[in-house]
């Protein structure tokens, strides 16, 4: 019966065409229906791409006119649409027709509608805006009484549907799950599957309905629901273990031939359904003995039944094998599966061999002995003329690589690599070789050579992790230091040899690796001097084929080598060449090199030998402070700080190096010496700068500390911080110290007080910021002699106070201000009194009282930031108490506390703000500083750490 | 795709621009046409696993992005598609596919959806299009 129906039906298209030709205004229709034919024929007849293009452009423009003409009937439109589909398939843009496709779907009769839908599904993609226009049509058709229209709507929904419009059709589609026709139910399930794919959370509530679909009496509906289950089980297998029984039963029925005959394919019952079920079972049974036990029987049966020699049974067998090896193992099944694989591998049919190799690759990790059984076949496949087979074999070998066979396998892989041209293959293979080489390298020479091959072939397409890992491996080394050195030395030597070769071009990445290694480890060479290496690098630098990124690597290497080289003609030449380079980046590097080159000592400490690793550790926190060094917490080198930071530091260094010695601003204010018997006080304000009232408190604070020191002598040097703006002063903080010389000496002599202050020179400060973590102790003070200043002659028994201001130009941790006062008594010789005052950064920190809003604004405007986590001691585990400590000890202003976060601000006199954002979790306080000054955050962080740890 | 490298019908289940499609097809076709008989029906092309089958002058090429695909299942799917087309067109040939590109699309839509095999039952697959044809005749 069904046969007859089918026969009639297959004849229908012919009838339909005739019908079309016969009816109505036949001429027009005929011309249209044959238009596609003539188009297709025309294209087929053409020989060149150029002609094709011409023809299609012609076709498209005529189509464009037709589709927008109002006289075009829907039938004509349908024809046009088909031709548009054809044109776009050949790669010509037909976007003008998209909107008409939607219209056609909306207005046409069945076939026209179907073509409209088809065109939409082919032309548009999920997020195309025109798709929204289709929703209404779909809704209408879903409600249609015509089965075919509903079918069409469901089909298009399951192909392409805008995610945001799902709610509009979801209830309609849910209804369709109860439809009496199985074809509608099936399509509804598929539509829901589509929704599950694009928006899983929107269909969560109907999971129960999926279960119903799984138990549907129609096989098609059940099969459709398997797609959803496969997807869901892939995401989370544990939630569906209870369904294992059902799946097993279904598979049993399928295998047992219980399905309608029309599901058979070459007398194999529903093979794709079987494969689907086997996949699901494999996922469910993975690492789960109990679930796996449920399926042993059915798997056994599947293996047994699929004995027919047909491709599709091989597909089932392969899936069986895969499942058997992914679930909890059972020896009998494994045995059978292994036999099955053997049959595949040994088959003379090339496709089967491929399948066998693939199956072997799956199972090999569980059962390496299987590979031994087939080793001869594997070897044969390795030399197979078909590169695909070869590739698959290499994949297999990759899985069984160990320390013993790595040389051979990598050798084979490299051979293959040299033959292949396709980028995807190269990237893939290079990654594998690099991985194997790192894991199993038997010796240094081999490792370096292999990596050389990887770099030269993989070049610029390979994954950037490969060179990075390689360099890290070199830098960090293994446990054995001498071994590491040998490896590095070998690398250096091999690169030098490679660079010696003429007319060989290496990929940029490889050159970058080389330049890093040479820069870092050339010192290991005893024959070749750094100068020679520099010469080689210089040659590369002058090569036009080298990219500018690589050139910066090269310059960095030269910079590293320069301190080790004695003669530096090349370096000078290089500086000369590149300081006028048009590439700003290169110029910058050249200038850096130039400045460092002028100061060899600095350079040596800046670029120590073989410190790359230590630096890596320091670099992460960016919290270098000399204090750290003293504490032995960190030791490292600055050279690999990020570029931007280096540049910043370098800039500030330049500023400081050019800096003139301070002009001192004197200020003296009237002050009564408390210990003065005479009680006469003379005051003169030399600087003319008035001290900020807000700062006066410091005055007394300091006084106390110093008084102790000097009380005996009767000198009470007092210092006061004030903002002393000198003429033309740079916006650099000033530390002003007011020296209050309390003249307790009642001699009538004129005393000449010469104060010489030793001041912190910015250079070391800079140095300390540059070389923090380098190993120097805390700030080295360079002493600048300040011209002595003469104080006016004083009368006996009088008190005079002098103010002297000291500026702080760069943040520092500690400094010593020392000086001496020499004076002449009237009747005696001159005498000299020395004094010194310890100053710390904190002496220059003041609270900054701003609002949270201002904080926010400032925060965003500051570029320099430092983050660090600090452990809090028990006592201040809560945020407020921790902040209080900071407020008291560091004089930070607490702006606001919000939950577990706090905002603080301070300023470094005279006006460099620094903001601090704190956050507490558990016993860790995350500090985040930001400031307009690049080094201030580091210093403050150090102080904070000290405070937090100290208390 | 026929032997001259002309595309006769294509469907994509992922989103590529027209240019990307053209380039991809061009490269792929060249690769497939250069294969010889003793080589297997599977290829690695870019990130796709390619499974192809040749019917006289016509190549049917399927690309799968999922790496743990069962190649044989796809290979047989291709054959089943041909069988189904054969059943519908009665002795299908390149011309049938070409001139009835819309219908062929409909059929394939019933077999593959979102890049997955949804149905392989010949009766099920052909039912919608036959229904449609029937209705069209009536009206």
């Amino acid at each position: 019966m069904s046969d007859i129906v089918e026969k009639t039906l297959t004849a229908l298209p012919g009838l339909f065409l005739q019908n079309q030709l016969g009816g109505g205004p036949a001429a027009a229709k005929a011309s249209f229906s044959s238009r596609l034919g003539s188009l297709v024929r025309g294209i087929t007849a053409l020989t060149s791409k150029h002609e094709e293009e011409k023809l299609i452009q012609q076709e498209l423009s005529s189509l464009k006119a037709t589709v927008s003409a109002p006289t075009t009937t829907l039938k004509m439109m349908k024809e046009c649409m088909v031709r548009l589909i054809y044109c776009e398939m050949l790669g010509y843009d037909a976007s003008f027709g998209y909107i008409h496709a939607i219209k056609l779907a909306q207005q046409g009769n069945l076939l026209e509608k179907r073509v409209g839908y088809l065109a939409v599904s082919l032309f548009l993609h999920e997020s195309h805006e025109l798709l929204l226009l289709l929703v209404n049509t779909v809704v209408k058709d879903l409600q249609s009484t015509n089965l075919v229209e509903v079918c069409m709507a469901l089909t298009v929904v399951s192909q392409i549907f805008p995610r945001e419009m799902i709610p509009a059709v979801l209830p309609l589609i849910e209804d369709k799950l109860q439809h009496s026709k199985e074809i509608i139910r099936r399509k509804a399930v598929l539509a829901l599957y589509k929704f599950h794919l694009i928006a899983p959370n929107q269909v969560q509530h109907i999971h129960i309905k999926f279960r119903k679909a799984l138990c549907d009496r129609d096989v098609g509906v059940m099969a459709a629901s398997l797609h959803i289950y496969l997807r869901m089980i892939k995401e989370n297998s544990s939630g569906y273990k209870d369904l294992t029984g059902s799946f097993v039963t279904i598979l049993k029925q399928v295998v047992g031939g219980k399905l309608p005959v029309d599901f058979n394919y070459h007398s194999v019952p529903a093979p794709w359904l079987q494969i689907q079920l086997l996949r699901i079972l494999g996922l469910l049974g993975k690492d789960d003995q109990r679930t796996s036990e449920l399926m042993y029987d059915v798997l056994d049966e599947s293996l047994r039944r699929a004995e027919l020699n047909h491709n599709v049974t091989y597909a089932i067998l392969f899936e069986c094998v895969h499942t058997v090896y992914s679930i909890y193992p059972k020896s009998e099944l494994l045995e059978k599966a292994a036999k099955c694989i053997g049959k595949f591998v040994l088959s003379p049919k090339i496709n089967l061999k491929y399948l066998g190799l693939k199956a072997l690759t799956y199972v090999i990790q569980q059962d390496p002995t299987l590979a031994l059984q087939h080793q001869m076949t594997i070897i044969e496949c390795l030399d197979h003329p078909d590169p695909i087979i070869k590739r698959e074999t290499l994949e297999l070998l990759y899985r069984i690589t160990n320390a013993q066979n790595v040389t051979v396998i990598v050798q084979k892989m490299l051979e293959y690599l040299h033959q292949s041209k396709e980028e995807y293959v190269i990237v893939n293979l290079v990654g594998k070789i690099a991985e194997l080489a790192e894991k199993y390298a038997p010796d240094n020479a081999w490792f370096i050579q292999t990596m050389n091959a990887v770099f030269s072939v993989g070049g610029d397409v390979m994954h950037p992790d490969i060179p990075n890992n390689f360099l890290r491996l070199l830098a960090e080394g293994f446990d054995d230091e001498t071994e590491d050195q040998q490896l590095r030395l070998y690398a250096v030597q091999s690169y030098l040899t490679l660079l010696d070769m003429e007319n060989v071009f290496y990929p940029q990445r490889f050159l970058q690796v080389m330049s890093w290694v040479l820069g870092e480890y050339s010192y290991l060479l005893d024959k070749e001097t750094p100068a020679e290496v520099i010469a080689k690098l210089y040659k590369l630098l002058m090569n036009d084929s080298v990219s500018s990124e690589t050139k910066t690597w090269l310059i960095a290497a030269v910079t590293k080598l320069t301190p080790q080289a004695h003669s530096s003609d090349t370096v000078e030449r290089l500086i000369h060449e590149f300081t006028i380079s048009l590439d700003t980046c290169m110029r910058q590097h050249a200038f850096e090199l130039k400045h460092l080159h002028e100061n060899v000592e600095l350079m040596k400490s800046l670029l120590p030998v073989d410190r790359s690793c230590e630096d890596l550790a320091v670099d992460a926190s960016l919290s270098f402070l000399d204090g750290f060094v003293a504490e032995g917490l960190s030791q490292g080198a600055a050279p690999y700080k990020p570029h931007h930071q280096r540049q910043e530091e370098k800039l500030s260094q330049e500023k400081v190096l050019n800096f003139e010695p301070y002009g001192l601003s004197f200020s003296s204010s009237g002050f009564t010496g408390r210990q003065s018997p005479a009680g006469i006080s003379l005051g003169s304000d030399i600087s003319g700068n008035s001290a900020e009232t807000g700062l006066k408190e410091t005055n007394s604070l300091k006084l106390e500390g110093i008084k102790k020191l000097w009380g005996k002598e009767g000198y009470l040097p007092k210092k006061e911080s004030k903002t002393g703006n000198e003429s033309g002063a740079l916006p650099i903080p000033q530390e002003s110290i007011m020296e209050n010389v309390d003249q307790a000496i009642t001699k009538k002599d004129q005393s000449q007080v010469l104060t010489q202050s030793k001041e912190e020179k910015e250079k070391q400060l800079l140095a300390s910021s540059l070389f923090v973590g380098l190993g120097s102790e805390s700030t080295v003070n360079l002493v600048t002699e300040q011209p002595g200043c003469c104080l006016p002659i004083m009368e006996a028994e009088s008190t005079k106070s002098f103010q002297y201001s000291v500026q702080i130009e760069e943040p520092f941790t500690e400094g010593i201000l020392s000086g001496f006062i020499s004076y002449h008594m009237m009747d005696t010789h001159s005498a000299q009194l020395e004094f010194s005052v310890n100053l710390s950064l904190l002496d220059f920190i003041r609270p900054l009282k701003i609002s949270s809003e201002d904080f926010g604004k400032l925060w965003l405007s500051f570029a320099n930031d430092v983050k660090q986590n600090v452990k809090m001691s028990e006592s201040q585990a809560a945020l407020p108490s921790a902040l209080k400590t900071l407020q008291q000890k560091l004089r930070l202003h607490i702006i606001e506390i919000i939950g577990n976060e706090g905002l603080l601000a301070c300023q470094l006199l005279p006006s460099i703000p620094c903001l601090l954002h704190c956050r507490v979790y558990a016993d860790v306080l995350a500090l985040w500083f930001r400031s307009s000054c690049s080094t201030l955050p580091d210093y403050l962080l150090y102080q904070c750490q000290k405070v937090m740890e100290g208390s | 795709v026929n032997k001259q490298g002309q595309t006769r019908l294509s469907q994509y289940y992922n989103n590529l621009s027209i240019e990307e499609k053209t380039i991809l097809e061009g490269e792929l076709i060249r690769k497939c046409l250069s294969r010889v008989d003793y080589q297997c029906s599977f290829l690695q092309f870019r990130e796709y696993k390619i499974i192809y089958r040749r019917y006289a002058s016509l190549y049917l090429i399927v690309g799968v992005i999922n790496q743990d695909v069962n190649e044989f299942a796809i290979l047989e799917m291709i054959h089943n598609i041909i069988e189904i087309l054969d059943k519908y067109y009665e002795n299908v040939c390149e011309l049938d596919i070409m001139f009835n590109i819309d219908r062929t699309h409909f059929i394939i839509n019933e077999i593959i959806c979102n890049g997955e095999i949804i149905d392989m039952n010949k009766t099920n697959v052909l039912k919608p299009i036959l229904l449609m044809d029937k209705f069209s005749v009536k009206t």
Side-chain angles (χ1 to χ4, degrees), chain A residues 277-458:
Chain A
L277 283 163
L278 285 167
R279 283 218 166 157
I280 290 176
L281 290 182
L283 289 170
L284 282 174
K286 198 167 189 185
D287 305 321
D288 184 343
Q289 188 176 4
R290 219 170 43 82
T291 318
S292 299
E293 274 166 0
L294 294 173
M295 49 186 89
Y296 287 150
D297 277 351
V298 74
L299 285 175
D300 188 44
E301 194 170 341
S302 297
L303 279 173
R304 207 154 33 80
R305 291 256 182 174
E307 59 219 347
L308 219 81
N309 282 335
H310 189 273
N311 273 346
V312 84
T313 55
Y314 299 141
I316 296 172
L317 280 178
F318 173 77
E319 212 55 54
C320 273
V321 168
H322 191 204
T323 306
V324 165
Y325 273 93
S326 28
I327 62 171
Y328 190 87
K330 188 184 184 208
S331 56
E332 288 166 48
L333 280 178
L334 289 179
E335 222 169 84
K336 281 184 183 166
K339 218 187 265 169
C340 206
I341 293 174
K343 216 166 73 186
F344 288 160
V345 174
L346 294 173
S347 161
K349 281 187 199 156
I350 186 77
N351 283 348
L352 271 186
K353 220 181 209 56
Y354 173 91
L355 199 66
L357 284 173
K358 207 175 145 173
L360 262 185
T361 319
Y362 274 125
V363 305
I364 212 83
Q365 280 152 321
Q366 287 191 31
D367 188 7
T369 49
L370 210 54
L372 291 179
Q373 284 172 31
H374 299 297
Q375 51 181 323
M376 280 328 286
T377 325
I378 294 171
I379 303 285
E380 272 169 35
C381 289
L382 208 50
D383 294 321
H384 200 276
D386 187 350
I388 305 297
I389 296 283
K390 242 181 176 171
R391 222 190 80 102
E392 208 57 38
T393 318
L394 287 177
E395 179 75 37
L396 171 70
L397 291 176
Y398 163 71
R399 306 277 177 112
I400 56 164
T401 308
N402 57 36
Q404 279 97 51
N405 59 17
V406 63
T407 341
V408 191
I409 289 176
V410 169
Q411 168 73 24
K412 287 285 176 195
M413 285 177 142
L414 283 174
E415 276 172 24
Y416 186 82
L417 188 64
H418 285 300
Q419 290 162 9
S420 46
K421 286 173 209 74
E422 212 190 307
E423 193 178 308
Y424 179 86
V425 176
I426 293 176
V427 171
N428 188 306
L429 206 53
V430 153
K432 282 181 180 153
I433 296 176
E435 188 196 324
L436 291 180
E438 278 174 26
K439 251 200 233 161
Y440 302 114
D443 61 71
N444 290 333
W446 182 86
F447 178 60
I448 296 294
Q449 270 162 8
T450 307
M451 290 313 281
N452 285 352
V454 164
F455 289 137
S456 28
V457 180

Side-chain angles (χ1 to χ4, degrees), chain A residues 489-500:
Chain A
L489 180 61
Y490 191 87
V492 170
Q493 283 166 341
S494 106
Y495 294 156
L496 286 176
T497 328
L498 286 176
L499 288 182
D500 271 342

Side-chain angles (χ1 to χ4, degrees), chain A residues 6 40 158-159 186-187 193-194 227 262 265-266 272 279 311 315 319 351 354 358 386 422 424, chain B residues 15 31 35 40-41 46 68-71 73 76 83 87 98 109-110 114 116-117 119 123 135:
Chain A
E6 271 165 31
V40 173
S158 55
Q159 281 171 330
R186 183 159 57 87
K187 287 199 169 285
Y193 171 55
K194 176 72 180 176
H227 292 283
D262 55 3
Y265 172 79
H266 291 256
W272 293 278
R279 283 218 166 157
N311 273 346
E319 212 55 54
N351 283 348
Y354 173 91
K358 207 175 145 173
D386 187 350
E422 212 190 307
Y424 179 86
Chain B
N15 199 353
K31 265 197 120 159
R35 305 278 295 171
C40 66
S41 321
R46 299 210 200 148
D68 58 75
V69 62
N70 185 331
E71 283 92 342
E76 285 314 292
E83 284 187 10
K87 193 167 171 185
M98 273 158 63
N109 281 348
E110 296 297 322
N114 292 306
E116 274 168 82
I117 307 170
D119 210 329
T123 347
F135 271 103

Side-chain angles (χ1 to χ4, degrees), chain A residues 514-549:
Chain A
M514 285 190 199
S515 49
W516 190 87
V517 173
L518 290 179
E520 207 58 37
Y521 298 115
S522 283
Y523 74 94
L524 293 167
L525 291 170
D526 25 272
K527 269 195 292 179
E528 250 155 317
T529 64
E532 285 170 62
V533 179
I534 290 178
K536 285 197 175 121
L537 294 173
Y538 176 74
K539 214 172 91 187
L540 270 181
L541 267 172
M542 300 319 280
N543 192 331
D544 289 334
S545 63
V546 175
S547 77
S548 62
E549 191 199 346

